[in-house]
Amino acid sequence: MADKQISLPAKLINGGIAGLIGVTCVFPIDLAKTRLQNQQNGSRLYTSMSDCLIKTIRSEGYFGMYRGAAVNLTLVTPEKAIKLAANDFFRHHLSKDGKLTLLKEMLAGCGAGTCQVIVTTPMEMLKIQLQDAGRLAAQRKLMPETVAAGTVETKSPTAMQLTRQLLREKGIAGLYKGLGATLLRDVPFSIIYFPLFANLNNLGKRGAEGPAPFYVSFVSGCVAGSTAAVAVNPVDVIKTRLQSLNRASTEDTYSGVTDCIRKIMRNEGPAAFLKGAYCRALVIAPLFGIAQVVYFLGVGEFILSFLPKKDN
């Protein structure tokens, strides 16, 4: 790749900035995805992404669409930075002994996906609780039959309160609930995304060694991101269900990945594994398109150029 000479600090800055911009732009769609994936047959409050967003604004106001955004904005910087930098690191070392084959590209993506779950799992765990709190509150008002008798409505907890509660009750493992499902989602995603992006981006390069124009990087990131997102959506549904701590009385609870798959197949059918797929594609496509543009424009290098250089 043409970006091998970029320093690690620059890569981390690029990944972080891209994550912040991308999450700010698409977070409401991500909230709709979480709520659509979590609702089960018999307790369906939303019929579509637009219906979810309209009802969210009506019941929670405009900023209700950004429930959990603070967690994402805080942790998306290290997450995206780790993913992009790890992929580049593995690609660089796997290409030392010769041509970077498709298999090696997939291995690099696998390594990047594995590294990122260190941050992704607790981030998703907290974000999902905050995003889904509004759905449960709306169910209490609009669908009281789904709420167990005697249930007392409580104020939605903050991210810090959730973190303290999970650490107090279950230790660090509480923040890593759904780790297996997160790995099953993020590793295949990276295996698909990074090789697909690299090959699509190469098609638009100016000459053999020249970089691709920024719009080619953007489109390549969007296409590769949406393709990978839809491909792993069934696992994303499983992960969302496993990481949700609070449920309506009529909704199933799950003990693990296989139990979740079995109950979804039995009670909702295979189509349930595609819930929120188009939302996820709409989230991931611009998120990774923006990430690749920032990465290839060299924003990190530009910022670092203002720092004083050490004299040799």
Side-chain angles (χ1 to χ4, degrees), residues 14 20 25 43 69 74 87 97 103 116 119-121 123 130 133 145 148 154 159 170 176 193 229 280 312:
N14 284 333
L20 290 172
C25 294
S43 59
T74 302
N87 177 70
D97 299 325
L103 178 60
Q116 80 169 81
V119 177
T120 304
T121 306
M123 177 183 76
L130 296 169
E145 69 277 6
T154 57
K170 300 181 180 180
Y176 281 87
Y193 172 78
R280 183 161 163 76
N312 292 327

Side-chain angles (χ1 to χ4, degrees), residues 126-178:
L126 295 172
K127 183 194 71 173
I128 285 171
Q129 314 316 315
L130 296 169
Q131 286 182 328
D132 204 42
R135 179 184 71 91
L136 295 171
Q139 274 187 343
R140 291 189 187 98
K141 295 176 183 177
L142 303 176
M143 305 174 68
E145 69 277 6
T146 65
V147 182
T151 301
V152 179
E153 185 173 351
T154 57
K155 187 179 179 181
S156 298
T158 65
M160 285 303 299
Q161 288 171 335
L162 276 170
T163 303
R164 284 196 295 266
Q165 179 187 344
L166 287 167
L167 289 173
R168 184 173 61 251
E169 295 177 359
K170 300 181 180 180
I172 194 69
L175 289 173
Y176 281 87
K177 183 180 180 182

Side-chain angles (χ1 to χ4, degrees), residues 91-113:
R91 287 175 69 90
H92 176 66
H93 284 276
L94 287 170
S95 63
K96 278 185 175 179
D97 299 325
K99 184 182 177 183
L100 192 65
T101 62
L102 179 61
L103 178 60
K104 288 181 178 180
E105 288 183 323
M106 293 172 72
L107 285 173
C110 178

